[in-house]
Amino acid sequence: MRDAPLSPEQWQELPPYSRAVVFAAWAHRAQRRKWPPVDYLRHPLEVAALLSRLGAAEPTLLAAVLHDTVEDTEASLEQIERRFGAEVAGLVGELTNPAALRRQERLAYFRRKMGELSLPALQIKLADRLHNLEDCRRAPPDFRARYCAEAQAMLQAIPAARRADRIVAALAAAIDAVVRELSGGAEPAGGGGEGPER
């Protein structure tokens, strides 16, 4: 992918978060969300906003804006590292799923992946899932049911040591509540309001 259409001077004048927004807007420029049908950029910005309200660190916010660029566009980790540094590129790399992951492999993959993510990457992954669940309100019922099942599996797989993190706990509780609502009030597979075992 060609870099975002800014001169080096224009790029240097921007604060880091604005650089991430420009890069993500350029990378996702041809993409739209399904539910609702809006510009794709809305999703990573909402994910970053969720994390910002919870007090996440700046590298986490930058990676949240960029988290789908390598998986879903022609952007590369090398471009991200050059523009945003090794820490942000490393987080985006952690959040990039295999391209050939089949539906029947997803639950096992997510269970394994949740135990391997660094804390900032886990925070982004949960914020990503929460925003996607919110948009699932507009999705067909069969897709919504599968996505809720994946969310439950992800929550169950969060390592116990991560439960004490305030941001992880808040996002897990919010996901649990949305899954409960979308499932018609049924008890999620992870347990009650304090969240599933991690």
Side-chain angles (χ1 to χ4, degrees):
M1 185 190 83
R2 293 188 298 118
D3 280 337
L6 292 177
S7 70
E9 293 76 16
Q10 290 173 315
W11 184 263
Q12 290 302 320
E13 289 174 358
L14 294 176
Y17 187 83
S18 296
R19 295 179 193 177
V21 172
V22 169
F23 188 95
W26 180 247
H28 292 296
R29 64 194 180 281
Q31 293 180 299
R32 289 179 66 78
R33 296 275 281 178
K34 288 184 179 180
W35 306 298
V38 296
D39 287 345
Y40 194 91
L41 183 65
R42 169 182 170 271
H43 168 63
L45 294 185
E46 289 287 350
V47 172
L50 281 170
L51 291 163
S52 178
R53 289 193 291 270
L54 291 170
E58 184 178 65
T60 305
L61 300 181
L62 300 184
V65 174
L66 301 166
H67 77 272
D68 277 336
T69 54
V70 174
E71 182 174 329
D72 292 342
T73 79
E74 296 178 355
S76 69
L77 286 175
E78 290 75 16
Q79 286 177 312
I80 292 174
E81 182 169 359
R82 185 168 66 249
R83 293 286 192 173
F84 303 100
E87 181 178 4
V88 172
L91 292 174
V92 174
E94 286 188 74
L95 295 161
T96 300
N97 294 327
L101 192 64
R102 294 181 303 218
R103 170 63 61 180
Q104 59 267 33
E105 298 172 333
R106 287 172 66 91
L107 285 179
Y109 174 79
F110 285 135
R111 288 190 183 102
R112 183 179 72 254
K113 186 73 172 178
M114 298 300 281
E116 299 172 349
L117 293 173
S118 65
L119 180 57
L122 178 60
Q123 294 170 348
I124 298 168
K125 188 67 175 176
L126 292 174
D128 172 56
R129 180 60 54 147
L130 178 57
H131 184 249
N132 283 338
L133 280 166
E134 292 288 355
D135 279 355
C136 268
R137 298 176 191 279
R138 304 168 178 87
D142 58 339
F143 180 90
R144 190 164 61 237
R146 290 197 305 270
Y147 206 76
C148 285
E150 289 180 1
Q152 291 178 18
M154 290 171 64
L155 290 181
Q156 291 170 345
I158 297 173
R162 302 299 196 200
R163 170 179 262 185
D165 178 72
R166 178 182 56 82
I167 295 176
V168 168
L171 292 169
I175 290 170
D176 184 81
V178 175
V179 167
R180 193 185 295 267
E181 178 187 347
L182 294 179
S183 302
E187 181 78 4
E194 293 183 359
E197 288 300 318
R198 291 166 174 82

